[in-house]
Amino acid sequence: MSATEKAKAEMERVAGRAVRKTAHAMGKETLAAKGAALESRGQARRLKEKGKDKFR
């Protein structure tokens, strides 16, 4: 398991959260939804990487 993959997942999650919160504050709901999707993808990737660690 690579530290690069963990970092990529964390950056995706943080970036998605920032986009979602900023877009929501500006009233841009479509962009907020895209940020939420990015955050969810990062969270899923993070959980996948944690799962890999359990089996090693």
Side-chain angles (χ1 to χ4, degrees):
M1 219 269 321
S2 153
T4 305
E5 289 298 317
K6 281 185 181 179
K8 188 175 181 181
E10 189 64 24
M11 288 303 297
E12 202 169 61
R13 192 174 69 80
V14 170
R17 179 175 288 160
V19 167
R20 179 177 55 88
K21 288 188 179 263
T22 303
H24 185 68
M26 293 183 347
K28 310 247 184 206
E29 295 304 318
T30 303
L31 187 58
K34 288 179 182 179
L38 183 63
E39 184 178 3
S40 295
R41 187 172 59 193
Q43 181 69 19
R45 187 180 304 229
R46 181 173 161 258
L47 291 173
K48 177 190 80 165
E49 295 301 325
K50 279 181 130 180
K52 283 183 179 178
D53 284 344
K54 298 265 184 195
F55 291 110
R56 289 183 183 221

